[in-house]
Amino acid sequence: VRLDKAVYVDKTEYLPMVRKAGRFVFCARPRRFGKSLTVSALDAFWSGRADLFQGLAAEEVVTSQNFITRPVIRLDMSTPADSDTNTLLEEKIMGRLGVNAERHKVSLRGADSADAFQFLIEDIHKASGKHVVILIDEYDAPVISIIQREEPEDDRRLLKQTRIVMRRLYGQIKAADEHIESVFITGVTKFSRMGLFSLLNNLIDISLEPKFGAFMGYTQDELEQNFKDFITETANELRMSDKGILRKIRDHYDGFSFDGKIRLYNPFSILSFFHFREFDNFWMESGSNTLIRNFLKEKELSADQFQNMAVNRFFVRDPGEIDSTPPEGFLYQAGYLTLRSKGKSKYVLDYPNREVRLAISTLFLESLTQNSVWNSISDLGRDLKRPLATGDVPGMVNVFTRLLAAVTYDDHAAAGRGHRDGAKGNDIGESAGTDPPDVRDTEPTDGPPDNPRATRGESFYRSVLHAAIWMAGAIVAAEKHENVGRTDIEAVYGRFQYVMELKMSEDVLGADDAVRAGMLQIREKGYGRSYRNPFLVSLAVGRKERNVVACLFKRGESAVEIRLPGKP
């Protein structure tokens, strides 16, 4: 990067700090967050490449007379990933070990990858007379690549075998302790079954340490200082001011946090934005999404249920295995949820920014629909943007009906039985040892307390519409707490605000009563009073029709009623 005169955001001040943190250090970060570049910088640092550190924060350390260079073993475990057999995995790991043996001019020996790794550490120490530094990048990649596949029977067997291979490999680090100066390991997740954290009981996890909060990713200051020319050029092309484009960049891409305070940008998203010069969802393109989509479908999860979720601090430090953790732990380890705030006993998780919210909404809707209405579910967001941007409530309802018509029969049926209302498999606290988040009121909001059938399915349909409005780019909140109640959905798009109440109706004949009850609730509870002149929208979803069957909306004193199916 530096030799090509490209932009390098200087994070080298953290390199000496990593060594001071401990001999064996681990740091987890989401995908495309700069882990590999960090490992590359550590390689150059320990190898004494002073020429690469000119003008950087670590230059003084690398050029110091007291600095001792070390032989480095560097393993990128993303290379052995996607191995279909145990034999192929062994061969690929042996190949990576061979590259390191050649680098240090020693012969590679050993019956398998684990033996070869231990011999390599010992032989390099003996040949150089110096203790070895080990850098392992994407240590969990071989396991994650298997979990992302779609052939569960074969994959379960392969997953078990892969874990055994990786456990034996990483176990050699402890066995070769006397030959090692320092170890740094990165990955997306924190797998205890890989043997890393049970065998290396002195492994220091700096993932949540405040002093390493900005270790990877771009802060706001780093963005503005390092990409100043790119910001101006892109602003000019998009006909915006520098301040205006910075606000929009912050809204779309800022928000990752690993200490509950410092907010960060994902480097891949920022670099992609400056390359293409458009506000797109680059997060979706940076990795396989099959795993997340299938997970949302299997666990019957919604996109909105993880907003501002309170969890115990021990959960964040140890979310568990990615194939057995509760849903919030899965999404946290996958990088879809980030640490929003941190207290003494509770942490709060949330989606980091608009880009990730768009990604999770897209995956949620893709898991529900057959894509028979749109060539891609992303087209839904574009279809919904126009009515939201122009105050066209009938046009908005038209998109809603098309969307619900595309939801699969099984998902509608599950909502009718109430299965999709409670996040199956989301036993927070029991499965993860965490405190449950704040418990919302359980009394139905759309019918008398003695009629639980009235609320069955409402949360599912609310989640679907919520995700659709998110995809359109609106600022949206579900079940927002007002002073006297909770709105179902509040959305802001440009100069228009929408306050929506959703009711279930037994059939078309009951639609009038349902939408009037919804509007009465909006009026009596004073929903939307914080806005100057919002659209007040009451929607009725027919239980038999499994779609919007009526809508009543007001803005100011005017009121319009829509009956569906049929014309307004």
Side-chain angles (χ1 to χ4, degrees):
V1 172
R2 300 212 74 205
L3 294 176
D4 287 343
K5 307 297 181 184
V7 174
Y8 177 73
V9 178
D10 186 6
K11 297 285 186 178
T12 62
E13 66 177 287
Y14 295 99
L15 305 187
M17 291 170 58
V18 169
R19 174 61 184 90
K20 291 179 181 178
R23 287 183 62 221
F24 301 87
V25 176
F26 171 78
C27 186
R29 288 294 184 265
R31 68 176 189 253
R32 298 304 188 101
F33 230 90
K35 296 186 295 295
S36 297
L37 187 57
T38 299
V39 169
S40 177
L42 278 165
D43 188 350
F45 176 77
W46 283 113
S47 301
R49 289 292 306 276
D51 57 314
L52 295 179
F53 289 89
Q54 291 180 12
L56 299 181
E59 180 181 14
E60 185 177 348
V61 177
V62 178
T63 57
S64 169
Q65 292 183 347
N66 299 324
F67 183 75
I68 301 174
T69 61
R70 301 286 176 182
V72 176
I73 295 176
R74 180 176 167 186
L75 293 178
D76 179 359
M77 298 309 295
S78 65
T79 304
D82 296 321
S83 299
D84 294 327
T85 64
N86 213 20
T87 302
L88 183 57
L89 176 64
E90 282 279 353
E91 290 176 357
K92 288 185 176 182
I93 295 175
M94 290 292 283
R96 300 318 302 163
L97 294 173
V99 170
N100 282 275
E102 184 178 346
R103 174 183 180 179
H104 296 289
K105 297 179 173 58
V106 299
S107 298
L108 188 67
R109 58 194 178 98
D112 58 19
S113 61
D115 286 344
F117 189 27
Q118 183 174 357
F119 283 132
L120 180 64
I121 297 169
E122 295 174 0
D123 292 346
I124 292 175
H125 182 202
K126 292 175 183 177
S128 65
K130 295 180 179 181
H131 287 78
V132 176
V133 168
I134 299 174
L135 305 174
I136 301 179
D137 187 20
E138 304 287 4
Y139 90 101
D140 49 357
V143 168
I144 291 178
S145 67
I146 297 171
I147 296 174
Q148 288 177 337
R149 297 177 185 176
E150 298 186 36
E151 299 175 5
E153 276 305 321
D154 293 338
D155 290 346
R156 273 195 289 270
R157 189 163 47 252
L158 182 60
L159 181 62
K160 183 178 180 180
Q161 295 171 347
T162 299
R163 277 186 164 133
I164 292 173
V165 171
M166 304 312 296
R167 189 181 299 119
R168 292 195 67 244
L169 180 73
Y170 297 141
Q172 303 312 307
I173 296 175
K174 186 173 184 178
D177 178 83
E178 63 184 295
H179 305 283
I180 296 172
E181 170 69 21
S182 178
V183 176
F184 179 74
I185 302 169
T186 77
V188 172
T189 59
K190 190 175 179 180
F191 287 138
S192 59
R193 290 185 203 164
M194 295 277 273
L196 198 64
F197 302 94
S198 56
L199 294 172
L200 291 176
N201 50 16
N202 55 347
L203 189 66
I204 304 298
D205 184 0
I206 64 171
S207 304
L208 298 174
E209 288 293 319
K211 63 183 178 182
F212 288 99
F215 184 23
M216 302 179 208
Y218 303 149
T219 65
Q220 187 66 35
D221 287 343
E222 288 169 340
L223 172 73
E224 295 184 29
Q225 291 171 10
N226 288 274
F227 298 94
K228 185 177 181 180
D229 293 341
F230 291 91
I231 291 168
T232 300
E233 290 172 8
T234 307
N236 290 337
E237 183 169 321
L238 298 181
R239 297 181 180 179
M240 301 175 67
S241 66
D242 285 9
K243 287 185 178 180
I245 202 166
L246 281 171
R247 281 195 300 270
K248 198 166 183 180
I249 291 174
R250 187 182 303 117
D251 176 54
H252 272 75
Y253 305 116
D254 187 25
F256 287 93
S257 181
F258 307 105
D259 64 355
K261 294 180 180 179
I262 298 174
R263 295 173 67 91
L264 299 165
Y265 293 91
N266 181 297
F268 179 80
S269 295
I270 290 299
L271 298 177
S272 299
F273 168 73
F274 284 129
H275 177 77
F276 294 103
R277 297 188 177 182
E278 60 183 43
F279 291 94
D280 206 344
N281 186 2
F282 304 110
W283 175 261
M284 287 280 289
E285 302 170 6
S286 67
S288 172
N289 298 294
T290 303
L291 176 64
I292 304 294
R293 188 186 302 108
N294 292 346
F295 182 79
L296 293 172
K297 181 79 169 181
E298 177 190 349
K299 298 295 183 181
E300 298 183 351
L301 305 173
S302 63
D304 60 311
Q305 72 185 74
F306 299 101
Q307 285 183 277
N308 296 312
M309 172 172 276
V311 294
N312 187 286
R313 63 188 179 92
F314 296 109
F315 161 79
V316 177
R317 289 190 176 277
D318 188 12
E321 297 294 321
I322 201 165
D323 54 347
S324 61
T325 185
E328 63 276 13
F330 179 89
L331 293 173
Y332 175 72
Q333 294 216 57
Y336 282 83
L337 292 174
T338 196
L339 190 58
R340 180 57 63 230
S341 63
K342 186 168 70 172
K344 289 184 178 180
S345 61
K346 285 189 180 296
Y347 291 171
V348 174
L349 303 178
D350 202 352
Y351 299 115
N353 51 43
R354 182 181 294 233
E355 181 187 34
V356 178
R357 287 197 303 269
L358 176 60
I360 201 72
S361 297
T362 301
L363 294 173
F364 169 60
L365 293 179
E366 283 181 346
S367 75
L368 300 178
T369 61
Q370 300 167 330
N371 288 340
S372 58
V373 179
W374 295 273
N375 293 327
S376 166
I377 198 65
S378 298
D379 294 339
L380 161 69
R382 288 187 283 272
D383 286 355
L384 192 53
K385 275 184 179 181
R386 188 199 61 78
L388 280 171
T390 58
D392 178 10
V393 175
M396 183 171 60
V397 173
N398 178 265
V399 177
F400 289 162
T401 58
R402 292 162 59 201
L403 169 61
L404 293 178
V407 172
T408 64
Y409 172 86
D410 290 340
D411 285 297
H412 277 298
R417 293 190 299 269
H419 292 176
R420 292 210 60 120
D421 290 352
K424 185 178 74 173
N426 192 24
D427 298 325
I428 305 163
E430 294 182 6
S431 55
T434 65
D435 292 339
D438 295 336
V439 179
R440 290 172 174 159
D441 300 336
T442 56
E443 182 177 321
T445 58
D446 63 346
D450 60 351
N451 185 16
R453 178 174 170 79
T455 60
R456 187 180 300 163
E458 180 187 318
S459 63
F460 168 68
Y461 291 110
R462 181 182 63 237
S463 296
V464 173
L465 301 187
H466 179 281
I469 297 169
W470 245 356
M471 283 188 61
I475 300 171
V476 60
E479 290 201 314
K480 182 179 177 181
H481 286 253
E482 300 283 357
N483 59 335
V484 290
R486 298 164 305 165
T487 57
D488 278 344
I489 298 176
E490 288 191 17
V492 177
Y493 196 103
R495 60 191 180 92
F496 294 106
Q497 304 91 33
Y498 302 89
V499 177
M500 302 183 191
E501 190 64 29
L502 184 66
K503 299 295 180 186
M504 296 301 298
S505 171
E506 289 302 315
D507 49 34
V508 174
L509 296 176
D512 287 341
D513 292 338
V515 292
R516 283 177 170 74
M519 187 58 70
L520 180 62
Q521 182 175 328
I522 292 173
R523 290 295 199 186
E524 288 185 343
K525 299 291 186 179
Y527 296 159
R529 284 179 180 172
S530 57
Y531 302 121
R532 178 171 294 180
N533 189 23
F535 282 97
L536 307 179
V537 183
S538 177
L539 297 166
V541 173
R543 198 177 304 282
K544 293 180 180 178
E545 294 76 14
R546 294 174 174 175
N547 212 318
V548 177
V549 291
C551 171
L552 178 63
F553 68 93
K554 295 183 178 182
R555 194 183 191 209
E557 297 302 319
S558 60
V560 178
E561 186 171 356
I562 304 173
R563 291 295 304 272
L564 299 165
K567 297 181 178 180

